[in-house]
Amino acid sequence: MRKSYTRKRERRKKEYLKDRSERKLDEKVGGLRVYTELEKNLQFISQLLGDATDLVSRRFTIQYTPNRRAAVVYLDGMVEVAIVDEFVLHPLMTEAENIRSKSDIWKTVRESLVQTGEMETTRELKTMVDSLLSGDTLLFVDGCSEGLALGTKGWARRAVKSPRSENVVRGPREGLTETLRVNTSMIRRRLKDPDLRLKDFKKGKRTKTHITLMYIEGVADDAVVKEAKQRMKQIEIDGVLETGYIEEMIEDNTWSPFPQIQNTERPDTVVSHLLEGKVAILVDGTPHALIIPAIFSQFYYSAEDYYERYTIASFLRVLRLVSLFIALLLPTLYIAFISFHVEMIPSDLAITLAAGRATVPFPSIVEALVMEVSVEILREASVRLPGMIGPTIGIVGALVVGQAAVEAGLVSPLMVIVVGLTTISSYATPSYSAAISIRLLRFPFMIVSATLGLFGVVLALLLMLLHLIKLRSFGVPYLAPFTPLHLSDLKDTVLRMPWRWMKKRPVIYRPGDDRRQRKEMDGT
Amino acid sequence: MRTRDQNGNPSEKRDQNDQPISTYQSHALLVNTLIGVGILSFQRGLAEEVGFDSLWVILIGGGLVWIEVWFLTRMMEKFPRQTFVEVLCRLLGSKRIPWLGRVLSLPFLLLISVYWVVGIGSVSRTFGENVITAVLPRTPIEVTMLLMIATVAVVASNRIQTIARFNEFLLPILYLPIPLLLAALIQWGEWENILPLFQTGWKEIMRGAFTAFFSYSGFSVLFIYMAYYQQPFRAIRSHSTAIGFVTLSYWTVMISSLFVFGGYELPDLVWPTLALIKAAEIPGMFLERLESAILSIWVVVVFTTMVSLFAAWVDLVVSVLRLDEHWRKWVAWGTVPVLYLVASWPGNLDQVFTLNDWLGKFEMASVLLILLILWLLGWIRGNRGRNRTAGTKNKDGKNGGKSHAPTSS
């Protein structure tokens, strides 16, 4: 401990020194001030971007005696051209008579001529270039040592559509989009709380991706927020294209097959988690938001559980739990029963089974592995195939190939049923990332079962349990509230109890304000 | 780094993996430790000694164990956040010669560690024998034993708090076979089978109770685990409920097997509980014979017992040698060959059962001895102990515990 502590300190010191040297480098390159000569600025920018073809520099004259040269610079396609034309160029070119004196030019331009909401004055060329690259329009006026970055961001956006990966029958149909601002607006619209906090990060040395951390102050656990910010700060990468990058870099255990951070495409899910005292991370350019911390059971909750009546929701949750076990263990049990514990199969069934397996030339493990792998291939293929062909391939693969394989005597009919059930069950998991880890774990379990029977399967399950118990997501035990046991939180686990019973937020997330409902509302 | 500092106070920098053991966890820990391999065959030994009277002698055994656990709990309460290793070292040591305490306490530590190590070995052997007779007849017993021991080592090399949570999660699995036992009782039970009662003399009854000790054995791990309790002063309740629960479940098993097999047939069955489950028939079951299913539940039950003993042993070694936390892994793996040797030491199943019998009595005696020593030393050196740590004196500690109680309940 002592040793690792000093090692940590040394590492931190080194990082600090490195940071400092980088800062110095930044100063050398980026310390450039805006030139007073207009042409020099324009030349610098076009040189920096390597004469990029989408760079538009529009030079014009501000009509004031003596005439003053000026220019706007923007990247074509990144800005709303209509705004630039109407609210930047038009007033500058036609309403210059408001300028009273020569020394007043810059001030009037800034204060009354340019009519965009977002505006930044700066002397640093580097900041200006950064703004240009993220879709702002730059305004330079000859003879001024400052420049303006005008918020005119606007590019082709995907419309808000229903989420592809998390469908519900009842509930909002909106899904997050690729534009961060649209996403935050969707969340704000659902959560009109002044305590909603947004903290921005720019990650990716080259992509300079905009990342926003959202939480409700006073509801979210301060320790989790602090830890999340800390881990976000430590990310050091050249590009962030999806939340997956962030997820992998901030999760507790990278080697675990289980997801420790949830991702969702639904703004309503994000809000419901924010209300439980969690933190959401939104990344520009992807419709998936991250939610931390995450516990094991939440990957088996669907947004709909809270929209449907609680009886139905509870029933569905039990169904999903059953399907989890089927998806993980059914082929394993099949192998164990066939090769070790034949006595457990009822005699009538055993005879049919034996008849079905009589022509199969392989041991059950080979049979199961071949079938499972081919189903996985089919699945992968149907995901990649365009639109209408996907389901067709699934049907062709599952039905036709399966039937033919049985008739050819390559696999037993029961095996086809087992594989079919397993596949369908793993689709019942609402979260794709959780389903995928179960799919992965199925294979080691099958191998253990083929070598050691149920005895080995139980030992393997115990080891998996140990791993789950040790796993934590931002300080919250992964198997909470089952262990450590929190009786009050069990209301929203296997069963979803009525809202009236859940007056408090789940304590496992240690929320600041723990009441969801006021006591006075008891009678209603 | 240890979770406790040298004075036995909880260290300030405890990370969240060190959440102390809660009351429910301590209950689960004790239940899972006590119910182990004994439940598969305790009826036979008991029926050999006292015949039909095993129906209530098993309760006497539970009562005796409860008394001992009560003393143990009361004793360890006086030393919150300290294992008996630290307590013994401090009470036997002197300020001038720091190593004296450790050397002097070695014989006592050895006594209890012999029980733990031999206990794990014999449990794994007993269960291995069971597995090869019931479900995996063609697998060599060495393989099953080694696998079991190795898997247990993986789990036992974790912190005690993790092991407590492991037990907490697995406790409900114990309840699963109960409906089957009841089904067997209802289907095959005969009133005549349990009579005549009260036929044995006091001597046999005491001997029977002592035989029952093995099925209740394992409570000595409290010497270690109580140091990690959140509220050692409330432990007496969770321990009592645990012993009560264990006694009740043994009694249920005993009654069912007596009702079904009777006092004459019982001594002839090698695995009476398994025979009982075999007899149960539940209409509409889609599994024909349940031994394999039941045995896989019992893997869990036996596993938790072994983990408890093993983790206690690892913690003992780590604290005697004052090793770092990451040494737990190496201590655990280093013990695996020893355990394997111990497990393969008895020549046949009969010797295994004799060893088990002896182990139960041995634990009872050695725990009594250590308690006596602790009590004597505490009495002689009472003043010193009080000066060293707050809460050593019973009264102070008790008040401290009670003042905490309302906030947590």
Side-chain angles (χ1 to χ4, degrees), chain B residues 91-399:
Chain B
L91 289 179
L92 285 168
S94 88
K95 243 179 202 167
R96 269 174 298 163
I97 320 168
W99 47 267
L100 189 68
R102 274 200 279 169
V103 171
L104 281 181
S105 58
L106 267 187
F108 304 106
L109 300 180
L110 211 61
L111 204 65
I112 205 77
S113 13
V114 162
Y115 165 72
W116 286 336
V117 170
V118 176
I120 306 161
S122 89
V123 166
S124 64
R125 175 67 180 270
T126 319
F127 193 74
E129 294 279 354
N130 195 332
V131 167
I132 59 161
T133 46
V135 285
L136 298 173
R138 281 191 291 177
T139 311
I141 187 167
E142 289 80 14
V143 175
T144 48
M145 279 188 336
L146 254 182
L147 260 174
M148 193 85 177
I149 294 175
T151 323
V152 167
V154 173
V155 181
S157 54
N158 287 290
R159 291 158 183 269
I160 300 290
Q161 291 89 341
T162 311
I163 284 154
R165 284 200 281 138
F166 192 74
N167 279 299
E168 181 185 27
F169 191 84
L170 289 174
L171 183 65
I173 291 184
L174 278 180
Y175 302 99
L176 289 179
I178 291 176
L180 282 173
L181 289 176
L182 294 180
L185 176 67
I186 292 162
Q187 282 166 344
W188 304 100
E190 303 277 351
W191 272 106
E192 303 90 74
N193 276 349
I194 63 159
L195 300 170
L197 280 169
F198 308 112
Q199 299 293 308
T200 34
W202 280 109
K203 235 186 195 170
E204 280 84 33
I205 286 172
M206 282 329 284
R207 215 183 296 150
F210 282 135
T211 313
F213 281 165
F214 175 68
S215 37
Y216 288 106
S217 64
F219 55 86
S220 53
V221 295
L222 292 180
F223 272 136
I224 299 285
Y225 290 175
M226 274 192 74
Y228 298 90
Y229 279 15
Q230 191 175 29
Q231 296 161 309
F233 308 104
R234 304 177 97 208
I236 197 85
R237 232 171 70 195
S238 62
H239 290 172
S240 300
T241 52
I243 303 263
F245 179 78
V246 172
T247 313
L248 194 71
S249 39
Y250 279 161
W251 190 62
T252 319
V253 175
M254 193 74 225
I255 275 198
S256 314
S257 26
L258 267 179
F259 263 93
V260 174
F261 300 117
Y264 295 123
E265 203 186 332
L266 214 45
D268 297 333
L269 295 167
V270 184
W271 308 109
T273 313
L274 215 55
L276 197 65
I277 300 286
K278 268 187 204 171
E281 273 174 24
I282 295 177
M285 285 289 286
F286 64 97
L287 297 176
E288 187 148 292
R289 292 174 64 184
L290 289 165
E291 299 103 293
S292 307
I294 293 299
L295 263 177
S296 37
I297 290 174
W298 263 312
V299 173
V300 177
V301 175
V302 173
F303 193 85
T304 49
T305 306
M306 289 172 71
V307 165
S308 290
L309 297 179
F310 206 159
W313 153 252
V314 170
D315 196 78
L316 182 131
V317 173
V318 165
S319 50
V320 168
L321 301 180
R322 300 200 177 148
L323 298 172
D324 251 5
E325 201 58 56
H326 68 267
W327 273 90
R328 280 178 192 272
K329 209 189 297 166
W330 302 113
V331 173
W333 284 108
T335 324
V336 169
V338 181
L339 291 176
Y340 175 70
L341 285 182
V342 172
S344 37
W345 172 40
N348 54 37
L349 197 55
D350 197 46
Q351 286 180 18
V352 178
F353 287 139
T354 323
L355 177 68
N356 286 352
D357 252 17
W358 178 81
L359 267 177
K361 290 165 196 163
F362 179 77
E363 185 194 24
M364 202 75 176
S366 47
V367 168
L368 269 182
L369 181 71
I370 291 173
L371 282 180
L372 205 66
I373 296 289
L374 280 179
W375 180 72
L376 271 177
L377 283 172
W379 188 53
I380 296 168
R381 314 192 62 170
N383 283 331
R384 204 175 145 190
R386 207 176 332 164
N387 291 344
R388 274 288 188 86
T389 48
T392 306
K393 204 182 162 201
N394 198 1
K395 211 182 98 199
D396 300 351
K398 239 180 168 176
N399 288 341

Side-chain angles (χ1 to χ4, degrees), chain A residues 336 340-341 446-459, chain B residues 131 135-136 139 143-144 147:
Chain A
F340 289 97
H341 315 286
M446 275 156 66
I447 291 164
V448 169
S449 145
T451 43
L452 291 158
L454 272 183
F455 176 65
V457 173
V458 174
L459 289 186
Chain B
V131 167
V135 285
L136 298 173
T139 311
V143 175
T144 48
L147 260 174

Side-chain angles (χ1 to χ4, degrees), chain A residues 198-269:
Chain A
L198 282 83
K199 294 279 174 256
D200 280 11
F201 295 88
K202 268 226 164 87
K203 285 294 160 189
K205 267 219 158 65
R206 289 187 186 280
T207 59
K208 299 199 176 67
T209 312
H210 197 161
I211 299 173
T212 299
L213 198 88
M214 289 181 104
Y215 59 95
I216 305 179
E217 184 145 28
V219 173
D221 180 21
D222 291 337
V224 171
V225 174
K226 212 174 129 195
E227 181 69 29
K229 283 181 188 165
Q230 184 61 34
R231 289 190 197 179
M232 288 294 295
K233 267 181 206 147
Q234 281 169 358
I235 295 176
E236 184 67 40
I237 193 171
D238 65 339
V240 177
L241 301 181
E242 219 278 332
T243 37
Y245 288 59
I246 306 289
E247 178 179 353
E248 233 173 79
M249 295 187 103
I250 63 173
E251 70 188 350
D252 289 62
N253 185 344
T254 321
W255 299 107
S256 171
F258 296 97
Q260 298 135 56
I261 294 173
Q262 194 187 349
N263 65 68
T264 181
E265 247 185 294
R266 305 184 57 88
D268 51 324
T269 307

Side-chain angles (χ1 to χ4, degrees), chain B residues 11-29:
Chain B
S11 122
E12 289 300 313
K13 273 190 288 174
R14 61 175 53 208
D15 70 274
Q16 293 194 319
N17 263 320
D18 290 336
Q19 280 170 347
I21 298 177
S22 71
T23 322
Y24 175 67
Q25 281 172 352
S26 67
H27 168 86
L29 201 58

